[in-house]
Amino acid sequence: MAKMNMLQAINQALTLEMERNQQMLVFGEDVGHFGGVFRATSGLQDKFGKDRCFNTPLTEQGIAGFANGLASNGMTPVAEIQFADYIFPAFDQIVNEAAKFRYRSGDQFHVGGLTIRTPYGGGIAGGHYHSQSPEAYFTQVAGLKVVVPRNAYQAKGLLLSSIRDANPVVFFEPKRLYRASVNDVPEDEYTLPLGQAEVVQEGSDITVLAWGAQVSVIEQAADMAKEQDISCEIIDLRTLAPWDIETVAKSVTKTGRLIVSHEAPLTGGFAGEIAATIQQECFLYLESPIMRICGLDTPYPLVHEKEYMPDATKVFEAIKASINF
Protein backbone atom coordinates (compact mmCIF):
# COMPACT_ATOMS: atom_id res chain seq x y z
CA MET A 1 0.00 0.00 0.00
CA ALA A 2 1.02 3.59 -0.65
CA LYS A 3 -0.65 6.92 0.10
CA MET A 4 -1.84 8.32 -3.22
CA ASN A 5 -4.13 11.04 -4.39
CA MET A 6 -6.49 10.38 -7.28
CA LEU A 7 -4.15 11.82 -9.90
CA GLN A 8 -1.32 9.57 -8.75
CA ALA A 9 -3.62 6.55 -8.75
CA ILE A 10 -4.82 7.28 -12.29
CA ASN A 11 -1.27 7.85 -13.48
CA GLN A 12 -0.15 4.57 -11.93
CA ALA A 13 -3.07 2.69 -13.53
CA LEU A 14 -2.11 4.07 -16.95
CA THR A 15 1.55 3.22 -16.37
CA LEU A 16 0.85 -0.35 -15.29
CA GLU A 17 -1.46 -1.02 -18.21
CA MET A 18 0.92 0.52 -20.76
CA GLU A 19 3.63 -1.79 -19.41
CA ARG A 20 1.33 -4.80 -19.67
CA ASN A 21 -0.31 -3.97 -22.99
CA GLN A 22 2.00 -2.84 -25.78
CA GLN A 23 -1.04 -1.96 -27.92
CA MET A 24 -2.18 0.76 -25.51
CA LEU A 25 -1.85 4.42 -26.52
CA VAL A 26 -2.61 7.54 -24.48
CA PHE A 27 -3.42 10.78 -26.30
CA GLY A 28 -5.33 14.03 -26.01
CA GLU A 29 -4.76 17.74 -25.64
CA ASP A 30 -1.47 18.50 -23.82
CA VAL A 31 -1.14 14.98 -22.38
CA GLY A 32 2.40 14.46 -23.63
CA HIS A 33 5.45 16.22 -22.18
CA PHE A 34 3.19 18.64 -20.28
CA GLY A 35 1.39 15.72 -18.58
CA GLY A 36 -2.13 17.02 -19.08
CA VAL A 37 -3.77 20.10 -17.63
CA PHE A 38 -4.09 18.31 -14.26
CA ARG A 39 -0.86 16.28 -14.72
CA ALA A 40 -2.64 12.92 -14.79
CA THR A 41 -0.38 11.72 -17.61
CA SER A 42 2.88 13.08 -16.19
CA GLY A 43 5.93 11.03 -17.14
CA LEU A 44 4.15 8.72 -19.57
CA GLN A 45 5.75 10.21 -22.67
CA ASP A 46 9.21 10.08 -21.09
CA LYS A 47 8.69 6.44 -20.14
CA PHE A 48 6.92 5.09 -23.22
CA GLY A 49 7.93 7.51 -25.95
CA LYS A 50 6.08 9.88 -28.26
CA ASP A 51 4.63 7.02 -30.28
CA ARG A 52 2.54 5.81 -27.33
CA CYS A 53 1.75 9.03 -25.43
CA PHE A 54 1.25 12.12 -27.55
CA ASN A 55 -0.59 15.40 -27.99
CA THR A 56 -3.47 15.84 -30.42
CA PRO A 57 -4.83 18.96 -32.11
CA LEU A 58 -7.55 20.83 -30.22
CA THR A 59 -10.40 18.86 -31.77
CA GLU A 60 -12.49 16.65 -29.53
CA GLN A 61 -14.38 15.15 -32.46
CA GLY A 62 -11.04 14.27 -34.01
CA ILE A 63 -9.75 12.74 -30.78
CA ALA A 64 -12.80 10.47 -30.48
CA GLY A 65 -12.85 9.59 -34.18
CA PHE A 66 -9.14 8.76 -34.14
CA ALA A 67 -9.71 6.61 -31.05
CA ASN A 68 -12.52 4.73 -32.80
CA GLY A 69 -10.28 3.99 -35.75
CA LEU A 70 -7.46 2.72 -33.55
CA ALA A 71 -9.77 0.55 -31.42
CA SER A 72 -11.47 -0.96 -34.47
CA ASN A 73 -8.01 -2.08 -35.64
CA GLY A 74 -7.16 -3.84 -32.41
CA MET A 75 -5.36 -1.09 -30.53
CA THR A 76 -6.19 -0.01 -26.96
CA PRO A 77 -6.65 3.76 -27.09
CA VAL A 78 -7.13 5.76 -23.89
CA ALA A 79 -8.21 9.20 -25.05
CA GLU A 80 -8.45 12.22 -22.78
CA ILE A 81 -11.03 14.95 -23.23
CA GLN A 82 -9.43 17.80 -21.29
CA PHE A 83 -12.70 18.87 -19.59
CA ALA A 84 -16.03 17.04 -19.74
CA ASP A 85 -17.64 20.34 -20.76
CA TYR A 86 -15.85 19.94 -24.11
CA ILE A 87 -16.97 16.39 -24.79
CA PHE A 88 -19.97 17.60 -26.78
CA PRO A 89 -18.12 18.13 -30.09
CA ALA A 90 -17.14 14.45 -29.76
CA PHE A 91 -20.69 13.37 -28.91
CA ASP A 92 -21.51 12.07 -32.39
CA GLN A 93 -18.34 9.98 -32.59
CA ILE A 94 -19.00 8.50 -29.15
CA VAL A 95 -22.75 7.77 -29.28
CA ASN A 96 -23.24 7.13 -33.03
CA GLU A 97 -19.96 5.42 -33.82
CA ALA A 98 -18.24 3.95 -30.75
CA ALA A 99 -21.43 2.78 -29.03
CA LYS A 100 -22.96 1.24 -32.17
CA PHE A 101 -19.86 -0.21 -33.82
CA ARG A 102 -20.41 -3.76 -32.55
CA TYR A 103 -24.17 -3.72 -33.20
CA ARG A 104 -24.11 -2.36 -36.74
CA SER A 105 -21.39 -4.78 -37.81
CA GLY A 106 -23.24 -7.82 -36.45
CA ASP A 107 -20.38 -8.31 -33.96
CA GLN A 108 -17.81 -8.59 -36.74
CA PHE A 109 -16.06 -5.43 -35.58
CA HIS A 110 -15.96 -3.49 -32.33
CA VAL A 111 -14.14 -0.72 -30.48
CA GLY A 112 -14.12 -2.54 -27.15
CA GLY A 113 -10.60 -1.40 -26.33
CA LEU A 114 -11.61 2.26 -26.20
CA THR A 115 -11.63 4.27 -22.97
CA ILE A 116 -12.37 7.99 -22.88
CA ARG A 117 -11.17 9.73 -19.71
CA THR A 118 -12.48 13.16 -18.80
CA PRO A 119 -12.51 15.39 -15.67
CA TYR A 120 -16.01 16.48 -14.69
CA GLY A 121 -17.88 18.45 -12.04
CA GLY A 122 -17.63 21.63 -10.02
CA GLY A 123 -16.01 22.86 -6.87
CA ILE A 124 -12.91 24.43 -8.44
CA ALA A 125 -14.34 27.87 -9.34
CA GLY A 126 -14.06 26.96 -13.01
CA GLY A 127 -17.22 28.68 -14.26
CA HIS A 128 -19.77 27.29 -16.64
CA TYR A 129 -17.30 25.83 -19.18
CA HIS A 130 -15.20 23.90 -16.67
CA SER A 131 -17.70 22.63 -14.08
CA GLN A 132 -20.48 20.66 -15.76
CA SER A 133 -21.51 17.06 -15.06
CA PRO A 134 -22.71 15.58 -18.37
CA GLU A 135 -22.67 11.91 -17.39
CA ALA A 136 -26.43 11.39 -17.86
CA TYR A 137 -26.19 12.20 -21.60
CA PHE A 138 -24.27 8.97 -22.16
CA THR A 139 -26.35 6.60 -20.03
CA GLN A 140 -29.14 6.34 -22.61
CA VAL A 141 -26.79 4.96 -25.26
CA ALA A 142 -26.70 1.18 -25.61
CA GLY A 143 -23.15 -0.02 -26.18
CA LEU A 144 -21.41 2.38 -23.81
CA LYS A 145 -20.38 1.94 -20.20
CA VAL A 146 -20.23 4.98 -17.92
CA VAL A 147 -17.98 4.86 -14.85
CA VAL A 148 -17.36 7.44 -12.09
CA PRO A 149 -14.87 6.77 -9.22
CA ARG A 150 -15.14 8.49 -5.84
CA ASN A 151 -11.56 8.26 -4.54
CA ALA A 152 -8.02 7.24 -5.44
CA TYR A 153 -8.48 3.54 -4.62
CA GLN A 154 -11.62 3.32 -6.73
CA ALA A 155 -10.07 5.33 -9.57
CA LYS A 156 -7.16 2.96 -10.08
CA GLY A 157 -9.18 -0.27 -9.90
CA LEU A 158 -12.09 1.00 -11.99
CA LEU A 159 -9.82 2.55 -14.62
CA LEU A 160 -7.92 -0.71 -15.10
CA SER A 161 -11.25 -2.54 -15.42
CA SER A 162 -12.48 0.03 -17.93
CA ILE A 163 -9.40 -0.25 -20.13
CA ARG A 164 -9.67 -4.05 -20.13
CA ASP A 165 -13.42 -4.15 -20.69
CA ALA A 166 -14.78 -5.49 -23.97
CA ASN A 167 -16.92 -2.38 -24.47
CA PRO A 168 -16.14 1.31 -24.95
CA VAL A 169 -16.14 3.16 -21.62
CA VAL A 170 -16.56 6.84 -20.76
CA PHE A 171 -14.64 7.36 -17.52
CA PHE A 172 -15.61 10.53 -15.65
CA GLU A 173 -13.08 11.75 -13.06
CA PRO A 174 -14.24 14.14 -10.29
CA LYS A 175 -11.60 16.83 -10.69
CA ARG A 176 -12.16 18.58 -7.37
CA LEU A 177 -10.99 15.34 -5.73
CA TYR A 178 -7.87 14.94 -7.90
CA ARG A 179 -5.61 16.11 -5.07
CA ALA A 180 -8.12 16.18 -2.21
CA SER A 181 -8.81 12.43 -2.21
CA VAL A 182 -5.88 10.56 -0.61
CA ASN A 183 -6.14 6.85 0.17
CA ASP A 184 -4.11 3.74 0.79
CA VAL A 185 -3.76 2.28 -2.70
CA PRO A 186 -2.04 -1.00 -3.61
CA GLU A 187 0.96 -0.34 -5.85
CA ASP A 188 0.36 -3.57 -7.74
CA GLU A 189 -2.40 -3.87 -10.30
CA TYR A 190 -5.95 -4.71 -9.21
CA THR A 191 -9.39 -4.34 -10.76
CA LEU A 192 -12.83 -3.47 -9.41
CA PRO A 193 -16.02 -4.78 -11.04
CA LEU A 194 -17.95 -2.55 -13.42
CA GLY A 195 -21.72 -2.49 -13.04
CA GLN A 196 -21.56 -3.20 -9.32
CA ALA A 197 -22.43 -0.57 -6.71
CA GLU A 198 -20.71 -0.47 -3.33
CA VAL A 199 -22.50 -0.24 0.00
CA VAL A 200 -20.08 2.17 1.68
CA GLN A 201 -21.94 2.19 5.01
CA GLU A 202 -24.78 0.02 6.20
CA GLY A 203 -27.82 1.60 7.83
CA SER A 204 -31.43 0.92 8.66
CA ASP A 205 -33.50 4.12 8.34
CA ILE A 206 -32.78 5.57 4.89
CA THR A 207 -30.71 4.86 1.78
CA VAL A 208 -28.61 7.74 0.44
CA LEU A 209 -27.02 7.24 -2.97
CA ALA A 210 -24.48 9.18 -5.03
CA TRP A 211 -21.39 8.76 -7.21
CA GLY A 212 -18.09 10.53 -7.73
CA ALA A 213 -17.36 13.60 -5.64
CA GLN A 214 -20.89 13.65 -4.28
CA VAL A 215 -20.27 10.51 -2.20
CA SER A 216 -18.15 12.46 0.29
CA VAL A 217 -20.99 14.99 0.55
CA ILE A 218 -23.60 12.38 1.45
CA GLU A 219 -21.15 10.86 3.95
CA GLN A 220 -20.99 14.24 5.70
CA ALA A 221 -24.78 14.44 5.66
CA ALA A 222 -25.01 10.92 7.12
CA ASP A 223 -22.70 11.96 9.95
CA MET A 224 -25.00 14.90 10.69
CA ALA A 225 -27.99 12.54 10.62
CA LYS A 226 -26.28 10.12 13.00
CA GLU A 227 -26.19 12.84 15.65
CA GLN A 228 -29.99 12.77 15.52
CA ASP A 229 -30.10 8.96 15.72
CA ILE A 230 -30.87 8.52 12.02
CA SER A 231 -29.10 5.53 10.50
CA CYS A 232 -28.14 6.07 6.84
CA GLU A 233 -27.17 3.37 4.39
CA ILE A 234 -24.71 4.93 1.93
CA ILE A 235 -24.31 3.58 -1.60
CA ASP A 236 -21.73 4.59 -4.20
CA LEU A 237 -23.18 3.68 -7.59
CA ARG A 238 -19.70 3.70 -9.28
CA THR A 239 -21.09 2.59 -12.67
CA LEU A 240 -24.02 4.46 -14.19
CA ALA A 241 -24.32 2.30 -17.28
CA PRO A 242 -25.08 -0.43 -16.54
CA TRP A 243 -26.22 0.51 -13.05
CA ASP A 244 -26.68 -1.93 -10.19
CA ILE A 245 -30.46 -1.99 -9.70
CA GLU A 246 -30.32 -5.08 -7.49
CA THR A 247 -28.08 -3.58 -4.80
CA VAL A 248 -30.06 -0.33 -4.64
CA ALA A 249 -33.43 -2.09 -4.57
CA LYS A 250 -32.26 -4.45 -1.84
CA SER A 251 -31.20 -1.49 0.28
CA VAL A 252 -34.43 0.46 -0.27
CA THR A 253 -36.50 -2.63 0.50
CA LYS A 254 -34.75 -2.65 3.87
CA THR A 255 -34.85 1.07 4.68
CA GLY A 256 -38.05 2.14 2.91
CA ARG A 257 -36.56 5.47 1.87
CA LEU A 258 -34.20 6.77 -0.84
CA ILE A 259 -32.35 10.00 -1.53
CA VAL A 260 -30.25 10.40 -4.68
CA SER A 261 -27.78 13.26 -5.02
CA HIS A 262 -25.71 14.42 -7.98
CA GLU A 263 -24.13 17.65 -9.21
CA ALA A 264 -25.83 17.66 -12.60
CA PRO A 265 -29.09 19.64 -12.97
CA LEU A 266 -32.24 18.06 -11.60
CA THR A 267 -34.16 17.83 -14.88
CA GLY A 268 -32.87 14.98 -17.03
CA GLY A 269 -30.28 13.98 -14.43
CA PHE A 270 -29.62 10.29 -13.83
CA ALA A 271 -31.32 10.50 -10.43
CA GLY A 272 -34.64 10.57 -12.28
CA GLU A 273 -33.93 7.19 -13.89
CA ILE A 274 -32.97 5.73 -10.53
CA ALA A 275 -36.08 7.12 -8.86
CA ALA A 276 -38.40 5.77 -11.56
CA THR A 277 -36.86 2.30 -11.47
CA ILE A 278 -36.77 2.01 -7.68
CA GLN A 279 -40.36 3.13 -7.22
CA GLN A 280 -41.32 0.41 -9.68
CA GLU A 281 -39.21 -2.23 -7.92
CA CYS A 282 -39.89 -1.18 -4.32
CA PHE A 283 -43.26 0.61 -4.38
CA LEU A 284 -44.86 -1.44 -1.62
CA TYR A 285 -41.84 -0.93 0.66
CA LEU A 286 -41.54 2.85 0.36
CA GLU A 287 -42.29 4.87 3.51
CA SER A 288 -41.83 8.27 1.83
CA PRO A 289 -41.36 9.70 -1.68
CA ILE A 290 -37.96 9.23 -3.30
CA MET A 291 -36.10 12.55 -3.16
CA ARG A 292 -33.47 14.06 -5.48
CA ILE A 293 -30.91 16.60 -4.27
CA CYS A 294 -29.18 17.88 -7.37
CA GLY A 295 -27.77 20.89 -9.15
CA LEU A 296 -30.08 23.65 -10.36
CA ASP A 297 -31.70 23.91 -13.78
CA THR A 298 -29.48 26.84 -14.73
CA PRO A 299 -26.11 27.32 -16.45
CA TYR A 300 -23.37 26.57 -13.95
CA PRO A 301 -22.85 29.88 -12.10
CA LEU A 302 -19.31 31.00 -11.21
CA VAL A 303 -20.28 33.53 -8.53
CA HIS A 304 -23.04 31.37 -7.03
CA GLU A 305 -21.27 28.03 -7.23
CA LYS A 306 -21.82 27.37 -3.52
CA GLU A 307 -25.56 27.91 -3.87
CA TYR A 308 -25.68 25.71 -6.97
CA MET A 309 -23.86 22.71 -5.53
CA PRO A 310 -25.86 20.08 -3.60
CA ASP A 311 -24.03 20.19 -0.26
CA ALA A 312 -24.20 18.23 2.99
CA THR A 313 -26.71 20.60 4.57
CA LYS A 314 -29.14 20.23 1.66
CA VAL A 315 -28.84 16.45 1.81
CA PHE A 316 -29.23 16.43 5.60
CA GLU A 317 -32.40 18.51 5.39
CA ALA A 318 -33.76 16.05 2.81
CA ILE A 319 -32.92 13.13 5.10
CA LYS A 320 -34.90 14.72 7.95
CA ALA A 321 -37.83 15.53 5.63
CA SER A 322 -37.93 11.96 4.37
CA ILE A 323 -37.79 10.50 7.88
CA ASN A 324 -40.53 12.86 9.12
CA PHE A 325 -42.81 12.41 6.11
Side-chain angles (χ1 to χ4, degrees), residues 187-247:
E187 296 197 72
D188 295 332
E189 65 174 61
Y190 63 93
T191 58
L192 296 172
L194 303 186
Q196 183 175 314
E198 180 186 5
V199 179
V200 178
Q201 172 182 299
E202 294 193 358
S204 57
D205 296 328
I206 187 168
T207 301
V208 190
L209 181 149
W211 50 88
Q214 204 60 24
V215 176
S216 63
V217 172
I218 67 172
E219 287 179 316
Q220 295 170 36
D223 289 340
M224 297 164 69
K226 186 177 180 180
E227 294 179 0
Q228 297 198 9
D229 295 324
I230 300 173
S231 174
C232 296
E233 181 141 301
I234 299 173
I235 295 180
D236 174 12
L237 200 57
R238 299 200 297 193
T239 305
L240 276 64
W243 69 282
D244 187 354
I245 298 171
E246 183 179 353
T247 294

Side-chain angles (χ1 to χ4, degrees), residues 117-140:
R117 296 179 40 251
T118 187
Y120 87 100
I124 65 163
H128 64 293
Y129 282 139
H130 298 84
S131 304
Q132 296 173 82
S133 300
E135 65 270 19
Y137 288 98
F138 298 92
T139 59
Q140 193 181 15

Side-chain angles (χ1 to χ4, degrees), residues 133-156:
S133 300
E135 65 270 19
Y137 288 98
F138 298 92
T139 59
Q140 193 181 15
V141 185
L144 286 180
K145 291 190 176 182
V146 179
V147 180
V148 191
R150 76 172 187 274
N151 59 28
Y153 175 81
Q154 301 284 332
K156 180 177 175 180

